[in-house]
Amino acid sequence: MAELVSVIMPSYNTASFVAESVNSVLQQTYQNWELLIVDDCSSDNSEAVLTELSSRDSRIRYFKLPVNQGSAIARNFALEKAQGRYIAFLDSDDLWVPEKLDVQISAMEVNHWPFTYTAYRRIEENGELGEVLGVPTKVSYSDLLKTCVIGCLTAIYDTKYFGKVPMPLMRKSQDYGLWLSLLKKTPYAFGVNQNLAYYRLRNNSTTANKRKAAMFTWKIYRSEEHTSELQSH
């Protein structure tokens, strides 16, 4: 029987996008999944949208935090409740192609890979398609310190190998911190160089502001990975 995949989806004020993201999970050809959506106390009509979406399928589990605490806490809340062997991540404005889980889980099981990622394509806020970001066949801890090539919406790790590993409690770039933590426990993460997801660029996202993104990367180097100030430049 196919192993259960737990899909972790934090949500904050994405009522305009989240239905499309959830539908991309519902359309997966790999069917043994659970989707854990954690609403980080949105101020838009996300609650109504997510309540309706969760009523469509028993595999969708919806939770709402009482106060806004950031995506790291939302993701870790979902992780605690996850029941699957595999942990996958999808933000509430991003998308998967229908074969995403099938292709990636098959590669993990055939090759005994505990941590994988894939290529993905950027899309604009209005849905206009952008460039495809290809990925290397594998990365080590030292490789990832130089540059993060793992898109959060593409990553999957195996709890049978790692156990449940929470994200560091940072407001931004906590996924990068998690990848580094995982790569302290295994020599490589392995890439599937096939476009299996769509990353939405939004005007208010951290990745739309390179200066802010660099600041949060520096914070990971210093506070999470304890590198020297010289190494961080």
Side-chain angles (χ1 to χ4, degrees), residues 64-80:
K64 183 171 182 177
L65 299 181
V67 295
N68 179 265
Q69 300 178 72
S71 57
I73 288 178
R75 287 180 175 128
N76 290 344
F77 181 94
L79 180 65
E80 289 178 2

Side-chain angles (χ1 to χ4, degrees), residues 200-216:
R200 195 183 304 271
L201 293 170
R202 296 173 61 201
N203 292 332
N204 63 348
S205 68
T206 302
T207 49
N209 187 320
K210 293 182 179 179
R211 186 174 181 180
K212 285 184 179 180
M215 178 187 70
F216 286 116

Side-chain angles (χ1 to χ4, degrees), residues 71-228:
S71 57
I73 288 178
R75 287 180 175 128
N76 290 344
F77 181 94
L79 180 65
E80 289 178 2
K81 296 184 178 299
Q83 300 173 349
R85 171 175 174 177
Y86 295 104
I87 303 297
F89 300 92
L90 180 65
D91 283 355
S92 56
D93 52 359
D94 296 333
L95 306 168
W96 285 347
V97 304
E99 301 79 20
K100 199 266 188 186
L101 290 180
D102 247 337
V103 170
Q104 198 167 354
I105 296 299
S106 176
M108 294 178 77
E109 293 183 342
V110 168
N111 297 290
H112 306 290
W113 291 341
F115 178 21
T116 63
Y117 55 94
T118 79
Y120 60 98
R121 188 169 190 172
R122 289 175 173 160
I123 57 173
E124 298 297 330
E125 189 164 349
N126 62 6
E128 181 180 344
L129 294 176
E131 66 178 323
V132 174
L133 282 77
V135 292
T137 56
K138 63 181 181 178
V139 290
S140 66
Y141 176 86
S142 59
D143 294 329
L144 209 67
L145 277 178
K146 298 171 187 174
T147 182
C148 184
V149 298
I150 302 175
C152 187
L153 71 166
T154 77
I156 298 179
Y157 74 85
D158 185 353
T159 63
K160 191 172 182 179
Y161 183 96
F162 294 104
K164 289 184 179 181
V165 184
M167 288 196 171
L169 298 181
M170 303 170 62
R171 274 280 176 176
K172 303 293 181 181
S173 299
Q174 64 274 159
D175 53 336
Y176 188 17
L178 174 58
W179 315 152
L180 291 169
S181 294
L182 293 175
L183 283 170
K184 289 178 179 178
K185 303 172 185 288
T186 193
Y188 297 103
F190 294 90
V192 177
N193 198 19
Q194 183 176 339
N195 174 30
L196 297 176
Y198 293 89
Y199 175 75
R200 195 183 304 271
L201 293 170
R202 296 173 61 201
N203 292 332
N204 63 348
S205 68
T206 302
T207 49
N209 187 320
K210 293 182 179 179
R211 186 174 181 180
K212 285 184 179 180
M215 178 187 70
F216 286 116
T217 299
W218 182 87
K219 184 176 180 181
I220 286 175
Y221 286 154
R222 297 283 285 136
S223 66
E224 296 299 321
E225 298 307 312
H226 309 293
T227 56
S228 70

Side-chain angles (χ1 to χ4, degrees), residues 17-31:
F17 303 104
V18 69
E20 193 176 2
S21 299
V22 170
N23 283 333
S24 77
V25 179
L26 288 167
Q27 292 165 6
Q28 290 298 298
T29 55
Y30 187 102
Q31 287 290 296

